Amino acid sequence: MPDTFRRPVLPAALAALLDQRLSRLEAACRQADVPFYDDAGVDTHLLQVLLVSDFAYETLLRAPILLGPELVRLMGDPRHADARAGHLAAIDDEAMLRAELRRFRKREAIRLIWRDVNGLDPVESTLAGASVLAECCLEAALRHAERQFAARHGHVRAADGSVQRLVVFGLGKLGGSELNFSSDIDLILAYPEAGSSDGARPLDAETFFTRLGQQVVSLLAEHTVDGYVYRVDLRLRPFGSVGRVALSFAAMEQYYQREGRDWERYAWIKGRPVAGDLAAGQRLIEVLRPFVFRRYFDYTAFAGLREMKTLIDAEVARKDLAANLKLGPGGIREIEFVVQLMQMIRGGREPALRVRGLLPALAACEQLGVIPAQRARRLREAYRFLRRVENRVQMFADQQVHDVPAEDEARQRLALGLGHPDWPALKSELDRQRAVVAEEFDAVMAPARRAPEDRAAAGWAAVWQDFVEHGVRARVLAEAGFDPPEAPAAALETLLASPALRAASARARARLDRVVPALFAAAADTAAPAPCLVRLLGLVHAVARRSAYLALLDEQPGALKRVTRVFAASAFLAERVTAHPLLLDELFDDRHEAAVPDRDAVEAEIGRRLAALPDGDAEAEIEAVQDARLAAAFRIGLDFLAGRLEAVATARALAGVAEAVLGSVLRLAERDLAAQHGRLPGSLDESSGLTILGYGSLGGSELGFGSDLDLVFLYDGACAQAESLGPRPLEGTRYYARLAQRVVHYLTTLTRSGRLYEVDVRLRPDGGKGLLVSSLDAYMAYQRERAWTWEHQALVRARPVAGDVALGRRFAEFRQEVLAVPVDAPRLHGQIVDMRRRWRIERDRSDAAQFDLKQGRGALVDLEFLLQGIVLEHAVDAPSLLASGNSADLIEAAARAGLLSADQAQALAAAHAALLGRSLSCTLDARSRVIRRDPDVERHADRVSTVAAALDFDFAAPSR
């Protein structure tokens, strides 16, 4: 919607000035024999233009033709300048083109003013219109220069013989399609590859495109009797004003890889091809993307921004620019810094943030939650207001100024044109909006501000420097509280001897010299200083070559504290972070504290990441799935450690993550197999007719951290009767075998981020001797006719976790049927008890001092066997037992069915939660699940054994 427009009430002197100017324009039209379009509505709009812009008045006075019959059509046209620029391409004479470009720019500038000041366009449309106008002029100038050069020098040919064109990149406001009304244009010139022109006077490519670019600049920037079109700034190119005017793509890539600086990364956020070979330009943008947007969350952006802001603040102080709308406190640049900082940090991982233009980028930041909604709303409102004021200041005289005018009359006209009754009212709103921006900017930058070093921090810095200069001394560490000191000392020696440390730049070494003492201090304040310091030093060693992660610890004190807390509490999560530093972002991202990632959320995140990748790169796709899985599991671990998630819910959440991964991997495998072999007749586009069953911990929704997956693959026999419909057809059973193999391969393949999951498929019919994948009919026949009791026990926890929904529903119906068959209870009890006793003999690692949380007497497996026995014995009369294979759900279902007393159910539920919680905690701290016996564990184990014995499942008794 356009900005709210209110017609001002003019003071008498100002009204008289505008009437005088209107009369002079009418006289100029009469003298030029131009019929003045004096419709009352047009008069009112024209007076508003005259109020706001001396430039518009002077232009109309010199070119009264603009006030003729075409006035209403031009000023009422909502389209940008490219809709009216076609005639420029037909001008061959250079002098005529120079004149027409200047007239065209002025004519279109008057249109922008007219529509802006009369409330016909919102500020975004005005900024976009100014950008399109510049692009039109650039393209027209370039094409004219190309024709001239082709006549003299021919064309520069690529290796394949095709004609190369110059690529003009727009940076800054032009690149973001948010050009000021009177702005110079920041350009970088490039060409695809080296070579020579093929004309009578050949030139090498660099010389050709350099001269071509200089001619384009001349056509636009040279002052003539008609003025100029645009001031052109080429100083943002590699090596600045001393660098070559035009570079090949290869030279550009090499420069930014080796020499690129932080401010250049910020500049290229908005960089885009605006004239010439746009497709080739986009290819270079893709090549430069890793320079601008790092693969990892990049907190070096804080340092770069801080340095740029320091330079700007120094310039503001030196030139007394405090009131500058762009550079002063609370100005437009601070809004840009807030948004671009988020783009720089996260753009490598979040494709949605790689947008140009502040408002689209701000919207993406808000949607992703990296800028809170209230902050985004306040910044958006302030940005629109400040850009509108800035544009009006520039429209006044078509000058690139960013300061509010000092003259009282000009200030009054500015205020009235913006709908305020007077200058004090506008000044009040301007001050309010700038205060909002300054407050939000300070809030964003606060974590990165350097706090004064206290005495304790200085002490740790001295310890570190002593180690660096004289070697690590274990005694010093022990006296500092890192006892036993041997492991921390060894970790420090490893770090100091690492090639990454020796090869570090001065800047990286300075950062390390700040980070390590901070880690000393943080670890010393934990309950386990020595193990925590070892883990933290392992992280530093792992990321020593990745400045982004050291920057995170250096720039974000809050992040360092969170890292320390987690590393002190969990060896498992510390190992995960060290192996996958991308997880550092999860440690302090407050967006993740509100909700536990469930299957739908994880699957959506995986889908979003996959959508940003090119098709066919299987390794990159598995990496993307792995990144999402690691992040989700890590967040669940953080929630469990923080007490936000109890044990049963944690295990369910981990199972949900695995289901999301299985569903995503199955779809990738189906897509790839269909590309090679087509689909089977009768299968649907969204499903191939395969379903994946989860057994064991996955099927029971009780997955642990680092658990493997027990999987069984079933296919629809009706779909396997024919060959696939593809270039390399496969018979149905082979098709499903290949599909299952591909799923297992994707799950277990070793990538840079490790494996998705270890997979166990031995629970399928006939175990390791059977086929990897079975038809549902064959599976059903096996379960009815040949399955052992222990296989029916396993079936209690089995459920579909991915794949064909209809087939999964048929399996669930069959499961209920086979588990509800009447049984010989005494025989069943004997078989289950004997099986459990054999397992304990083979697997229980308990002794008089230690207790096996999984296999011990009264431990988790005893509880599982007890619940499976209840289901197999009573499901025929209590079908509600078959609704879930989860232990907590089964305890509740058995109690509701009257198969457990209230006391028994309460005892089993408490034991299950406590033992599962202990097991998860052991995994998180990388400890064995064989723990020292304590009264709490003994009490829960005794209660499980007591209930089991009361129900004639005495797992501790001798074999029957």
Side-chain angles (χ1 to χ4, degrees), residues 452-473:
E453 189 175 64
D454 58 26
R455 185 174 301 175
W460 288 117
V463 169
W464 166 244
Q465 288 305 318
D466 181 60
F467 289 166
V468 171
E469 294 170 9
H470 303 107
V472 179
R473 289 175 288 167

Side-chain angles (χ1 to χ4, degrees), residues 23 78 412 419 491 545 576 749 771 931 947:
S23 298
Q412 184 179 40
R545 294 183 185 275
R576 286 296 173 92
T749 191
L771 297 173
I931 65 171
V947 174

Side-chain angles (χ1 to χ4, degrees), residues 851-916:
F851 179 75
D852 189 329
L853 288 166
K854 183 175 182 181
Q855 296 290 347
R857 182 191 62 82
L860 289 169
V861 175
D862 273 13
L863 181 55
E864 290 174 14
F865 269 62
L866 169 61
L867 295 171
Q868 290 162 3
I870 291 173
V871 171
L872 293 178
E873 181 178 357
H874 297 288
V876 64
D877 299 313
S880 60
L881 293 172
L882 300 174
S884 171
N886 175 265
S887 294
D889 294 342
L890 284 174
I891 292 169
E892 292 183 9
R896 286 195 301 269
L899 304 173
L900 293 173
S901 68
D903 288 344
Q904 288 173 328
Q906 191 278 330
L908 293 182
H912 175 249
L915 296 173
L916 181 61

Side-chain angles (χ1 to χ4, degrees), residues 138 141-142 145 166 168 211-221 232:
L138 272 168
L142 176 58
L166 185 70
V168 181
R211 292 182 183 177
L212 180 65
Q214 291 168 336
Q215 176 66 3
V216 170
V217 172
S218 171
L219 288 169
L220 296 175
V232 177

Side-chain angles (χ1 to χ4, degrees), residues 362-381:
L362 180 57
C365 288
E366 181 181 9
Q367 186 174 10
L368 289 170
V370 299
I371 292 181
Q374 182 179 8
R375 176 173 294 162
R377 178 185 58 77
R378 297 179 80 196
L379 291 176
R380 187 180 296 112
E381 178 184 335

Side-chain angles (χ1 to χ4, degrees), residues 693-868:
L693 305 182
Y695 270 68
S697 297
L698 174 60
S701 297
E702 292 182 16
L703 212 60
F705 296 99
S707 292
D708 59 6
L709 304 183
D710 294 309
L711 303 179
V712 169
F713 296 90
L714 300 180
Y715 63 84
D716 186 344
C719 294
Q721 301 302 312
E723 288 187 337
S724 60
L725 304 173
R728 296 163 56 193
L730 285 178
E731 180 267 329
T733 55
R734 289 185 63 203
Y735 187 94
Y736 285 118
R738 292 274 185 89
L739 181 56
Q741 289 167 353
R742 190 164 299 221
V743 170
V744 172
H745 170 71
Y746 284 165
L747 291 172
T748 59
T749 191
L750 187 61
T751 69
R752 288 180 300 178
S753 302
R755 293 180 176 86
L756 286 170
Y757 289 100
E758 296 289 350
V759 172
D760 191 338
V761 293
R762 291 174 296 175
L763 289 177
R764 66 189 186 268
D766 291 317
K769 300 177 183 179
L771 297 173
L772 177 61
V773 61
S774 304
S775 70
L776 178 60
D777 291 338
Y779 176 89
M780 291 163 58
Y782 177 87
Q783 290 288 346
R784 288 193 183 104
E785 300 166 10
R786 294 192 290 135
W788 297 83
T789 298
W790 69 264
E791 291 177 292
H792 284 173
Q793 285 180 250
L795 192 59
V796 170
R797 305 190 96 191
R799 64 187 175 92
V801 291
D804 191 291
V805 174
L807 190 64
R809 192 178 301 117
R810 288 169 56 196
F811 162 80
E813 292 168 354
F814 165 74
R815 171 182 171 274
Q816 293 200 5
E817 172 195 323
V818 77
L819 292 180
V821 172
V823 297
D824 180 342
R827 182 170 178 270
L828 174 71
H829 284 231
Q831 290 173 330
I832 292 177
V833 169
D834 285 347
M835 174 62 72
R836 180 67 192 104
R837 177 172 171 75
R838 287 199 299 272
W839 273 30
R840 178 168 294 122
I841 291 171
E842 295 171 2
R843 307 179 186 185
D844 186 5
R845 294 173 291 168
S846 303
D847 57 28
Q850 294 183 308
F851 179 75
D852 189 329
L853 288 166
K854 183 175 182 181
Q855 296 290 347
R857 182 191 62 82
L860 289 169
V861 175
D862 273 13
L863 181 55
E864 290 174 14
F865 269 62
L866 169 61
L867 295 171
Q868 290 162 3

Side-chain angles (χ1 to χ4, degrees), residues 11 19 86 125 145 184 186 219 311 388 485 571 612 685 760 773 792-793 857 938:
D19 286 340
S125 182
D184 59 6
D186 295 311
L219 288 169
L311 292 173
R388 196 161 174 244
D685 287 343
D760 191 338
V773 61
H792 284 173
Q793 285 180 250
R857 182 191 62 82
E938 296 280 13

